[in-house]
Structures are given as C-alpha cells and as structure tokens.
Amino acid sequence: AAGNPPPFAAAIARRKYTVTFDGGEAFDYHTNVRMRERFAYYRWDQGTVGTGSALRSLPAEELDKLFASTGMTPLEQHVMHAVSQLEGGFESVNTYDTGYVSVGFIQFTTGDEGRGSLLEVMASEKKSSPDDFTRDFHNLGMDVNQANTLVVVDPSSGAELTGADAVMKVIDDKRLVAIFQRAGRHSTPFRAAQISVAKSHYWPAN
C-alpha cells in the first residue's frame, strides 16, 4: 500500500537485553539504537548505549573529593564538568559508533584494535589500585595486557580474545558492556583513573 521502500531502508527489530549481577543489580540495553537522521558515525546495529548518571547529578561533595584525589584544581574540575555535559557520566557506555567501545565521562574508546584511550584508563586503575581492578574487571573476565590491549573471556565459549576480536565481542555481548557500566557506577578507582587520563590527554596547560 505504501509502495517500495526508499533506498537503504530496512525493517529492523530492536532487541532488549537485561544483564543481572550477583546481588540483583540489573542493566538494560537495546540494540538498533535510535539515531538522528544521517548520523555519520553509526556503525553497529547490534551496538547499544547506556547513559547512566551525568556528572552534574552527582553530589558536589563527592565530586570535589574525587577530583581533588587526582590532583585537579577547582578550575580544571570546572572545565571537565563542562565537557562531560556533552559526553556523559562515569558509567556512560556506547558501542554503536566509530569509537567501537566508548566509556566514561569523556567517552574513552577502545578503537578497532582495542588499544585506545579506554585501555589507558584500565591500565591506570590496574597499576594504582590492583585489588579494585581485579574486582571491577579481572574477576569478571576482562583485562588489559602489558601491551595496553583489551583482553576478554567470551562468556559463552570461555575463549580468551585479544585486540580486535575482544572489541567485537564486547559490542556483541551485553554482559561485557555491563562490566564497564557497573565499574563506572560504583568504583571510585575507575572513576579516578578516568579523570587522571582525561587530564593527561586533554588539559591544554600541560
């Protein structure tokens, strides 16, 4: 009745996934993320997004203490707050675009080979707070190796995957996505690592 579909149009089915950790905490994800028309960076229809809490919604005292623990001045903290309003919070995740896997308040990425800025964040936590890193990532099947490359255990097969294969497994399996979001929501060392790497990468005074 409506005629032929326009070029590049296709019927899609949005799928919902719920990942539940021990203790009952659950994270919901949908595939085929709704995008504005002609969004140039969209890549993966099986990708997803989890927004979480923006920095501006967190208690000021909590944020002040966290930023101060990384050596940031109030001015630097103010700038980072402004930038994060365009990106997200500590627990924000995105696996649908050209960043491949993007996490955190400035959207640190894995890139296609699993060697991007997100791996620097993970390596920073692993070095400064190894016990917390073990709880946040290693015990759940995720790691960063000595080459600062992503390593994951496939939750379905038990296979150990590295680099590009690990990145695509995170995009495909929402259980791995939830590991990042859970760490961003609860782990002070993971949050502090995000701030430290953000300053080292993006603060122009350095």
Side-chain angles (χ1 to χ4, degrees), residues 134-181:
T134 296
R135 178 201 64 210
D136 295 338
F137 294 103
H138 188 270
N139 286 351
L140 298 173
M142 190 175 289
D143 206 345
V144 52
N145 64 20
Q146 292 183 342
N148 269 18
T149 303
L150 182 65
V151 180
V152 304
V153 173
D154 184 339
S156 298
S157 69
E160 185 177 297
L161 306 174
T162 304
D165 291 335
V167 170
M168 292 310 302
K169 179 53 62 174
V170 175
I171 293 172
D172 288 335
D173 198 311
K174 309 308 174 280
R175 290 172 289 188
L176 297 172
V177 175
I179 292 172
F180 285 113
Q181 192 164 23

Side-chain angles (χ1 to χ4, degrees), residues 5 30 43 46 56 65 67 74-76 81 96 107 117 124 126 130 135 150 156 190 199:
H30 288 89
R43 291 297 181 271
Q46 76 271 36
R56 62 180 178 273
K65 183 177 180 181
F67 276 88
L75 171 62
E76 293 167 341
H81 277 195
Y96 60 74
Q107 291 290 273
S117 57
S124 176
K126 187 174 183 178
R135 178 201 64 210
L150 182 65
S156 298
F190 184 57
K199 182 177 180 180

Side-chain angles (χ1 to χ4, degrees), residues 16-79:
K16 179 181 178 181
Y17 296 82
T18 299
V19 180
T20 305
F21 288 88
D22 290 344
E25 185 174 23
F27 296 84
D28 292 329
Y29 302 104
H30 288 89
T31 60
N32 286 294
V33 176
R34 300 182 192 277
M35 288 287 101
R36 67 178 183 270
E37 193 173 350
R38 298 180 181 177
F39 180 68
Y41 307 103
Y42 186 87
R43 291 297 181 271
W44 317 106
D45 58 5
Q46 76 271 36
T48 191
V49 62
T51 55
S53 300
L55 259 64
R56 62 180 178 273
S57 69
L58 299 176
E61 183 179 350
E62 177 183 341
L63 281 177
D64 291 344
K65 183 177 180 181
L66 183 60
F67 276 88
S69 73
T70 67
M72 273 202 169
T73 67
L75 171 62
E76 293 167 341
Q77 177 180 339
H78 179 73
V79 173

